[in-house]
């Protein structure tokens, strides 16, 4: 993607980041209207929950499917196809009276949505190099982090006044607007058009798994997002059952965690100019498990202490994705798309599995669950730390 004019690069960066924000909005704006969907279509809550879990699963699978071919495809065309797919399926979701058709359209919407994160992060990695790539990944992550915080609030407000149809029409208007902007302003991916070749599936993954640093990032990212979502789904239970916080207030208590994650991404943008990415990765390896252990020991002691712990933990979680994606982009030049696709897949897989831990809290004390997770992450981190230290000493 040969763009050499700085202000055009910045515009393209924000356009791609907003597209990724929209992809996350598609996923998260739906949550507050789950009861409304259930009542409108007169179906069980299990069917509605299926539309939520299948959406995440399909996005995860798209990262693997698309990752093996993305480096040889016209990526502007891919993102345009995704937005057309989202636009059509969103209109169907808005107006169909049939739940089966609604569910199918939501699945198609997930396929279109799943294309966006991988294409945008790969295009950003191609567009920027060196320190500028780290800054760009930080900006990308800041906008991506905003979506889970804003989406439930938007979904609740639009759903209250305009129903579920209003939400899907809102998504339709954004998708059409992005479609027009990207069609006119995003440059064609000339490099990939010229290549016109696809490395075989097995050669791609042999190359990825031959790089120790890249594999370490991918493994650690699973644990990071697994534990993050385990904490995320446990927080409402903790706040309601232990601290007796009213349900209408709980949603707003997620905002400090989101703010700290944004600050973490901003901190990465500044630190990556002064310290090597390997040193920053080692710092995350050592700091994050200690924070999880601290959370396990103190999360039931005081809501103020809990807030402080979550703020520090959120900083580290926000710091991690731009760090991980920058290192992966640097380590894999020939098969970057496949590596980023695998990275995104592992992230989503960690989120999906971590969200399933809620049932454990009825069997084991939460302190034991999170202490075990913290110790496990610490042991894994020590192993990677020793190997990285030997490699770069």
């Amino acid at each position: 993607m040969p763009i050499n004019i700085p202000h055009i690069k910045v515009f393209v960066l924000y356009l791609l980041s907003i597209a990724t924000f929209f992809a996350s909005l598609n996923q998260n704006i739906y949550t507050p209207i789950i009861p409304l969907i259930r009542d409108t279509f007169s179906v069980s809550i299990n069917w509605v929950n299926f539309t939520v879990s299948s959406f995440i699963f399909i996005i995860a699978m798209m990262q693997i499917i698309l990752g093996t071919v993305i480096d040889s495809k016209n990526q502007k065309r891919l993102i345009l196809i995704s937005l057309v797919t989202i636009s059509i399926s969103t209109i169907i979701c808005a107006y169909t009276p049939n739940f089966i058709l609604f569910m199918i359209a939501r699945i198609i919407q997930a396929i279109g949505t799943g294309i966006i994160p991988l294409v945008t992060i790969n295009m950003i990695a191609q567009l920027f190099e060196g320190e500028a790539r780290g800054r760009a990944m930080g900006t990308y992550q800041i906008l991506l982090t905003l979506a889970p915080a804003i989406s439930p609030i938007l979904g609740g407000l639009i759903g209250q006044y305009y129903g579920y149809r209003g939400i899907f029409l809102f998504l339709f208007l954004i998708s059409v607007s992005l479609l027009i902007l990207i069609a006119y302003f995003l440059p064609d991916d000339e490099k990939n058009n010229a290549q016109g070749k696809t490395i075989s599936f097995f050669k791609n993954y042999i190359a990825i798994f031959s790089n120790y640093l890249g594999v370490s990032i991918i493994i650690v990212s699973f644990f990071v997002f697994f534990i993050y979502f385990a904490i995320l789904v446990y927080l409402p239970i903790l706040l309601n059952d232990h601290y007796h916080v009213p349900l209408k207030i709980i949603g707003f208590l997620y905002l400090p965690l989101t703010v700290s994650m944004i600050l973490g991404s901003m901190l990465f943008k500044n630190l990556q100019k002064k310290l090597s990415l390997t040193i920053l990765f080692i710092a995350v390896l050592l700091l994050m498990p200690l924070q999880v252990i601290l959370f396990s020991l103190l999360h039931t002691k005081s809501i103020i202490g809990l807030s402080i712990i979550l703020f520090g933990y959120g900083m580290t979680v926000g710091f991690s994705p731009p760090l991980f994606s920058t290192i992966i982009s640097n380590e894999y030049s020939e098969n970057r798309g496949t590596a980023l696709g695998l990275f995104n897949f592992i992230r989503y897989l960690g989120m999906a599995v971590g969200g399933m831990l809620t049932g454990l809290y009825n069997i084991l004390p939460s302190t034991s669950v999170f202490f075990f997770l913290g110790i496990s992450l610490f042991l894994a981190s020590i192993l990677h730390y020793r190997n990285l230290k030997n490699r770069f000493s």
Side-chain angles (χ1 to χ4, degrees):
M1 191 182 299
I3 305 176
N4 298 315
I5 304 173
H7 69 272
I8 295 180
K9 280 190 175 184
V10 172
F11 176 77
V12 172
L13 167 63
Y14 277 99
L15 186 58
L16 293 172
S17 299
I18 290 169
T20 309
F21 173 91
F22 171 66
S24 184
L25 189 71
N26 264 296
Q27 177 184 333
N28 293 286
I29 199 172
Y30 183 76
T31 308
I33 61 166
I34 286 176
L36 183 60
I37 297 293
R38 178 197 61 192
D39 297 340
T40 301
F41 290 100
S42 301
V43 294
S44 73
I45 196 67
N46 291 331
W47 277 110
V48 183
N49 285 339
F50 173 77
T51 66
V52 177
S53 57
S54 62
F55 198 94
I56 299 174
F57 177 75
I58 289 168
I59 290 176
M61 291 305 300
M62 286 300 298
Q63 310 309 299
I64 290 294
I65 295 169
L66 190 60
T68 56
V69 299
I70 190 174
D71 289 313
S72 62
K73 301 297 180 182
N74 184 308
Q75 294 176 60
K76 178 180 178 178
R77 188 176 298 132
L78 284 174
I79 201 168
L80 291 176
I81 290 171
S82 75
L83 289 168
V84 170
T85 303
I86 292 170
S87 300
I88 295 171
S89 58
T90 301
I91 281 292
I92 295 173
C93 285
Y95 287 105
T96 180
N98 183 282
F99 181 75
I100 298 298
L101 184 56
F102 174 87
M103 187 168 59
I104 293 171
R106 185 69 176 158
I107 289 172
I108 295 171
Q109 188 184 25
I111 293 172
T113 302
I115 295 172
I116 295 176
L118 180 55
V119 173
T120 52
I121 199 171
N122 198 44
M123 291 179 84
I124 290 170
Q126 290 177 354
L127 187 61
F128 296 91
E129 295 180 354
E131 181 188 304
R133 179 180 287 164
R135 291 199 306 271
M137 290 297 182
T139 300
Y140 168 89
Q141 188 61 38
I142 288 169
L143 285 171
L144 183 58
T145 305
L146 278 173
I150 296 174
S151 300
I153 298 172
L154 273 176
L157 290 174
I158 297 173
Q160 180 178 352
Y161 292 104
Y162 301 102
Y164 80 92
R165 183 170 293 167
I167 287 177
F168 286 105
L169 289 176
F170 175 70
L171 293 174
F172 173 76
L173 289 175
I174 298 177
S175 64
V176 170
S177 300
L178 279 172
L179 181 64
I180 295 169
L181 287 171
I182 288 174
Y184 278 97
F185 293 108
L186 196 67
D188 277 314
D189 193 6
E190 297 173 5
K191 177 183 176 183
N192 284 340
N193 287 338
Q195 282 179 344
K197 60 180 181 180
T198 303
I199 303 173
S200 74
F201 178 89
F202 292 107
K203 285 184 178 178
N204 259 319
Y205 282 97
I206 288 172
I208 289 170
F209 288 109
S210 298
N211 185 312
Y212 180 80
L213 181 57
V215 171
S216 296
I217 293 285
I218 290 169
I219 293 173
V220 169
S221 69
F222 173 84
F223 287 104
V224 166
F225 290 98
F226 172 83
I227 296 173
Y228 168 63
F229 252 67
I231 291 176
L232 208 63
V233 298
Y234 174 64
L235 273 181
I237 302 170
L238 174 67
L239 292 170
N240 186 251
D241 295 353
H242 184 75
Y243 289 109
H244 307 294
V245 176
L247 291 176
K248 61 182 180 181
I249 304 296
I250 287 176
F252 289 96
L253 294 181
Y254 279 86
L255 288 177
L257 181 61
T258 304
V259 169
S260 67
M261 290 175 64
I262 293 171
L263 291 175
S265 298
M266 294 173 65
L267 180 65
F268 168 75
K269 287 180 66 174
N270 292 321
L271 285 183
Q272 61 94 26
K273 295 184 289 186
K274 303 171 183 176
L275 299 171
S276 75
L277 296 177
T278 307
I279 291 175
L280 295 177
F281 178 48
I282 291 173
V284 168
L285 285 180
L286 298 177
L287 185 59
M288 185 167 285
L290 295 177
Q291 290 176 318
V292 176
I293 293 170
L294 195 62
F295 174 84
S296 73
L297 298 175
L298 302 177
H299 69 282
T300 58
K301 305 300 181 185
S302 147
I303 195 167
I304 295 175
L306 172 66
S307 301
I308 294 171
I309 293 168
L310 286 176
F311 188 86
Y313 177 69
M315 289 273 289
T316 312
V317 173
F319 191 92
S320 301
L323 169 65
F324 293 170
S325 54
T326 302
I327 295 176
I328 287 175
S329 299
N330 293 345
E331 289 291 310
Y332 301 100
S333 56
E334 296 298 322
N335 41 25
R336 183 184 293 124
T338 305
L340 288 171
L342 181 61
F343 169 66
N344 278 348
F345 172 75
I346 292 298
R347 279 205 298 175
Y348 284 113
L349 184 63
M351 294 177 192
V353 178
M356 296 176 185
L357 279 186
T358 47
L360 270 182
Y361 308 133
N362 297 323
I363 303 171
L364 298 171
S366 58
T367 299
S368 302
V369 172
F370 288 109
F371 186 79
F372 173 76
L373 291 176
I375 290 296
S376 300
L377 181 57
F378 182 75
L379 293 175
S381 297
I382 288 296
L383 176 63
H384 288 297
Y385 169 74
R386 289 180 61 187
N387 287 325
L388 286 170
K389 187 178 179 182
N390 291 336
R391 174 181 171 179
F392 293 102
S393 59

